[in-house]
Amino acid sequence: MGTVSDAEKKPAVIFVLGGPGSGKGTQCANIVEHFGYTHLSAGDLLRAEIKSGSENGTMIQNMIKEGKIVPSEVTIKLLQKAMQESGNDKFLIDGFPRNEENRAAFEAVTKIEPAFVLFFNCPEEEMERRILSRNQGREDDNIETIRKRFNVFLESSLPVVEYYDSKGKVRKIDAAKSVEEVFEAVKAIFTPKEEKVAV
């Protein structure tokens, strides 16, 4: 096998998971700014692909229109392409894997296991309060839809969190606190502990 060249060096990937309104987006922006990660949102990449009017984008749009789930491979290819184009080697992947099938496919296709999963743990009441007070005019921000999104998150994404938890790879953050307090907790995870340096 020999030594691993830079080209083969696997990028560091961190999955960012949390329910709707858990503050993931805000904290991802902070991590990018302070720690130099590239933030990739699966949803944004799919939306951008649709907007581009490519053949792939049209296929994705039709699937979404028909209420079908976009296949894992499609999302993973977009993520891979974005990773290659970014020129960076450390990534926050946000809102993916959404379920076990996504997770298994990601590892199978990319051969990358995440360094860890950053899980924003936030009680449902707090998420509801935040989303309703956001009032960014997202038409899907009514209480029924929020509860539905939350339940989908619990059913599909929590098994992913549990899988990585069993491997000791989940860093859970109490996301109900203020943005500043949450970022302090995030910083503690991303800042290398000095003790580790001493051999």
Side-chain angles (χ1 to χ4, degrees), residues 4 23 89 124 142 166 171:
V4 176
D89 64 350
E124 185 171 7
N142 63 49
S166 71
R171 308 286 179 271

Side-chain angles (χ1 to χ4, degrees), residues 44-91:
D44 288 353
L45 288 171
L46 288 166
R47 282 186 283 275
E49 188 69 19
I50 290 169
K51 233 185 185 153
S52 76
S54 70
E55 219 174 294
N56 199 24
T58 309
M59 178 200 73
I60 295 167
Q61 190 172 20
N62 291 337
M63 294 195 79
I64 294 171
K65 262 201 200 121
E66 291 164 24
K68 290 185 184 150
I69 300 278
V70 177
S72 299
E73 276 71 20
V74 172
T75 309
I76 293 163
K77 280 206 182 95
L78 290 175
L79 287 166
Q80 277 185 304
K81 186 167 155 244
M83 284 160 81
Q84 282 155 2
E85 287 171 359
S86 75
N88 200 348
D89 64 350
K90 38 188 200 172
F91 301 94

